Amino acid sequence: MRLTKKEEEMGEGKMGPSVQLAMKAIIQMAEGLGVECLIPTEGSHLGNVDMLFHCKGYVGIVRKFVDLGGEVRIPTSVNPYPADPRNPESPAIPEVYRGENPLVDDYRRLGVIPNWTCTPFLYGNIPRFGQHLSWEESSAVIYVNSVIGARANREPILMDLVSAIAGRTLYTGLHLDENRKGEILFLVKLKKIQPDDFAAIGYYLGKVCGTRIPVIDGIQGQASTAALKNMGAAAASTGAVAMFHVPGLTPEAPTIEKAFGGRKPAETIEMDDRVLARTKEEMSSLKSPGPLDIVALGCPHYTLEEVVSVARLLEGKRVNPGVELWICTHNGVIDLAKQLGVARVIQGAGGRLFSGCILCLHNVEPYSGRRLMSDSGKICYYRPAIYGSQQGCVEAAIQGRI
Ligand code: F3S
């Protein structure tokens, strides 16, 4: 493979032993995949730390970089804890996640931004158009590629870390212009789009696109930041979609024609009200009516607007004592929610506003067998759940059943 002079020197250890070790891993990966050269990166996001601290191999590698005096060379953030142990609002932390997590301190020593969120593009690690990144977390990767126009592949765990230390990743996939063009025309033909429909639109989108890049037409007027975040997370779960275009809205798609880069769409797919209803039905894999145990909101982490919206729905109400209402977000949003008084409303109604990862929590005991409802396409794909709009979820939490 081709290396620049500087990269050769990095590999020879001229920039220190930690960079040398990181480069060794990156070059081996490139050679194994037949990638010809590397690209300098300007940001990294590390994947989940839920069970990783049980993985002696990974913990040992991180410690090795610390012992070598390593530090991240580019802004590097990290995904959430299962539940932030510092927040009294957090639900009981499952046994499997308790105990000392050496990664917390080792990441700090490497200089990782301790923002503990799956929406780093909104809080703490905000890329700009055209930057090459080495990010993990599929819901974040699809957002930065599509909405911001930064360039990132869905990096595997460890590749995110070595890229952060070396400031290089493989020059392949979505780093290349020719791989960022639209492939499928996806026409949304709903009579009226509600904000909550975006999770279902993304759920269907991922199923029909697989790994292909859709050009989505028909959502332009309604696509808020939260809507695009929720749609992308669902599409990156039901498929391996890592990028989409919305003509007139996303930066690499001023028009439909430009989004396709002069090529014809390989396929045109329509989503009408009938398909939307069928998709919502499919998202609810728990069909039987009955009591609920958990209502989980904030996967990916809720924006401040989404938190405020939940608080409005809870004003003067009380969550059923048999139900846990979880609202996951970034700690910075929690601070703002406190200042706005909306955290008090949520807490007063019996909800829990915390920074955590819903999927990590409810996949293990004591939460794994519980009857759960969510507005998240990602959760409804990965776990038996009842799908509902945010309003439907809050109302069910108050009723205690569906
Ligand atoms: Fe975020 Fe965890 Fe969901 S990392 S996207 S809350 S699975």
Side-chain angles (χ1 to χ4, degrees), residues 1-3 7 23 26 30 37-40 168-171:
M1 65 175 293
R2 281 183 282 119
L3 294 177
E7 286 161 356
M23 280 301 279
I26 294 169
C37 58
L38 309 180
I39 179 90
R168 293 288 187 283
T169 194
L170 313 191
Y171 192 40

Side-chain angles (χ1 to χ4, degrees), residues 19 40 49 124 167 201 242 348 383 398:
V19 173
V49 292
I201 293 171
R383 183 210 201 271
I398 293 164

